[in-house]
Amino acid sequence: MSHYIHPQTAFLVLVFLGLYELFLLWRLSKIEFDLYDFFMLSLVALVPAFFVVFPKVILTATDLVGVKFPFLLLCGGLFLAIFLIIYSLIRRINASNRKIVTLAQELALRTGPLESVKVDSLPPEGGRTR
Amino acid sequence: METPRGLIIIPCFNEAGNIVPLLRDLSEAGIGLDVLVIDDCSTDNTFRLASALVPTVRLPVNLGIGGAVQTGIKYALRKDYAFCVQMDGDGQHPPRQLSKLVEEFARGEANLVVGSRFLEKSGFQSTFFRRVGISLIRITMRLLTGQWVTDPTSGYRLLDRRAIELMAREYPTDYPEPVSLVMARTQGLKVREVPITMQERRQGQSSITGIRVFAYMVRVTVHMMMARAKGLV
């Protein structure tokens, strides 16, 4: 089965890739995310671009996987890219949560009381002498 | 022989109505232990009321019961306490029964002593839905750790030095009471129970009521399984 990529399709996908990468590079320069995030976010444009630039490779992969339409492979590739992004985000959110908890505890302990007191020696009504 | 130093940890969140009576009850009970209140970023007067009576650590953000208790455990570790006792700030844990936990600890056979309201079935026994949910957790605990704990959700518990060292390093933020028991048993710590009589909370209301208890208990069970699986890895 021949695999023909319409020139207009290839043009649109590559223009999207170019503009999208420029946008990501601009946000990267503003330090909104790091290089790893840049790569992960780029995947959503790189996967379709790979399809239009290397149609014969895609055709071979389609035969290997056993699907009828390369479009299904494209969907699978995009799904995998999005899954990797989400997985990475979840790991980092959980790590940040742990750091926040530790930070809050350390802050409280370092600014809190130096010594506790015996509970039998509570001050009378009216408060504690510090 | 020197009496081991012990610390009472009281985590609180918006317990302005309960904390002063609790501290007075503790004082009258003549326990002879140090006390530390952990204010979990309350929005009422809890910190002001507690800190007027006892040293109080104020967390800058709300961490939940797990984060607050771990703060107290870390304090106990750094100040070289031989044991610490966790009790709720809502007045449900009678101060006079704290001696039962300490006596069991003094026997030297347990790393964790849990005050169970179900060993003697006296006092406040919790609502019907909660008791059903606790039964589910009890069965899960038995399957995961081989030990039958009658009150796995009890927050009235004593930790010895070994338990303090473990839980200062790692303490669950979600459903800490039952999950921490699974963690302890996975690490080979010995858990014992003593019967205590709990009271209904003086003021305020539990946030887990009615049929929502079931969903809560299912989530607890899943977290317990994850803690056990983590211990196996």
Side-chain angles (χ1 to χ4, degrees):
Chain A
M1 177 171 114
S2 66
H3 183 62
Y4 173 71
I5 301 289
H6 199 286
Q8 283 173 319
T9 307
F11 176 75
L12 281 170
V13 170
L14 292 173
V15 164
F16 169 72
L17 174 68
L19 291 173
Y20 183 64
E21 292 300 310
L22 280 172
F23 172 76
L24 289 181
L25 281 167
W26 174 45
R27 301 324 296 177
L28 180 67
S29 71
K30 301 282 183 192
I31 319 178
E32 287 186 2
F33 40 77
D34 58 25
L35 274 175
Y36 178 77
D37 297 323
F38 171 78
F39 173 71
M40 298 300 286
L41 290 168
S42 298
L43 281 178
V44 290
L46 285 173
V47 168
F50 190 82
F51 269 67
V52 298
V53 171
F54 303 105
K56 287 185 181 172
V57 173
I58 299 304
L59 192 60
T60 308
T62 305
D63 290 337
L64 278 170
V65 172
V67 295
K68 193 170 180 184
F69 302 108
F71 177 72
L72 292 172
L73 214 58
L74 173 66
C75 289
L78 284 173
F79 177 78
L80 181 64
I82 292 168
F83 168 76
L84 288 172
I85 292 170
I86 292 171
Y87 173 75
S88 170
L89 282 172
I90 288 172
R91 271 187 52 236
R92 288 155 80 175
I93 287 170
N94 276 281
S96 293
N97 279 347
R98 285 194 295 274
K99 287 177 186 173
I100 287 169
V101 169
T102 304
L103 190 64
Q105 289 173 336
E106 285 301 316
L107 189 64
L109 287 171
R110 289 181 193 204
T111 57
L114 293 175
E115 296 295 336
S116 52
V117 297
K118 289 229 182 301
V119 71
D120 306 340
S121 58
L122 289 191
E125 304 283 344
R128 178 166 74 103
T129 306
R130 292 181 188 274
Chain B
M1 186 177 160
E2 197 180 325
T3 308
R5 288 174 65 229
L7 175 72
I8 301 171
I9 298 167
I10 306 177
C12 291
F13 177 66
N14 288 349
E15 298 287 1
N18 294 321
I19 190 62
V20 172
L22 172 62
L23 292 173
R24 293 277 172 218
D25 286 348
L26 267 172
S27 176
E28 286 164 16
I31 306 294
L33 300 177
D34 293 350
V35 66
L36 183 73
V37 171
I38 313 291
D39 171 38
D40 196 7
C41 200
S42 298
T43 55
D44 63 5
N45 285 327
T46 299
F47 177 73
R48 186 178 62 79
L49 292 169
S51 59
L53 293 174
V54 297
T56 303
V57 169
R58 184 179 170 89
L59 290 165
V61 292
N62 179 266
L63 298 183
I65 181 70
V69 169
Q70 192 188 28
T71 305
I73 293 172
K74 285 184 173 180
Y75 183 93
L77 179 72
R78 292 172 193 190
K79 299 294 183 184
D80 293 322
Y81 282 97
F83 67 93
C84 66
V85 179
Q86 172 195 341
M87 62 189 308
D88 288 350
D90 59 7
Q92 283 193 303
H93 298 150
R96 292 187 189 281
Q97 307 221 359
L98 198 152
S99 56
K100 290 187 182 180
L101 280 80
V102 178
E103 281 161 15
E104 182 64 30
F105 162 71
R107 286 155 53 112
E109 294 172 0
N111 302 109
L112 257 118
V113 182
V114 178
S116 170
R117 77 202 103 162
F118 301 122
L119 275 178
E120 285 185 352
K121 293 196 190 318
S122 62
F124 178 62
Q125 294 286 293
S126 196
T127 62
F128 169 74
F129 285 120
R130 276 180 176 262
R131 291 202 303 277
V132 170
I134 289 170
S135 296
L136 173 67
I137 295 172
R138 210 182 276 158
I139 292 166
T140 306
M141 179 80 64
R142 169 78 175 154
L143 289 171
L144 293 175
T145 67
Q147 180 165 0
W148 191 255
V149 178
T150 61
D151 197 354
T153 63
S154 171
Y156 204 6
R157 51 180 58 184
L158 182 151
L159 281 67
D160 78 341
R161 188 71 191 175
R162 198 175 150 200
I164 287 172
E165 287 168 358
L166 170 67
M167 295 190 187
R169 276 198 315 270
E170 189 180 347
Y171 197 75
T173 48
D174 295 319
Y175 320 111
E177 286 88 14
V179 175
S180 61
L181 284 181
V182 173
M183 266 174 54
R185 291 287 299 139
T186 304
Q187 297 298 321
L189 270 61
K190 293 178 208 156
V191 177
R192 294 284 183 270
E193 286 186 292
V194 294
I196 58 157
T197 305
M198 285 206 198
Q199 298 159 176
E200 278 195 79
R201 52 171 38 235
R202 288 188 171 103
Q203 291 190 29
Q205 197 177 14
S206 172
S207 57
I208 307 161
T209 54
I211 201 77
R212 277 181 293 176
V213 170
F214 283 120
Y216 172 82
M217 296 302 174
V218 169
R219 290 199 299 271
V220 171
T221 306
V222 169
H223 275 79
M224 288 166 69
M225 291 179 188
M226 283 161 50
R228 184 70 180 101
K230 195 176 170 186
L232 293 170
V233 172

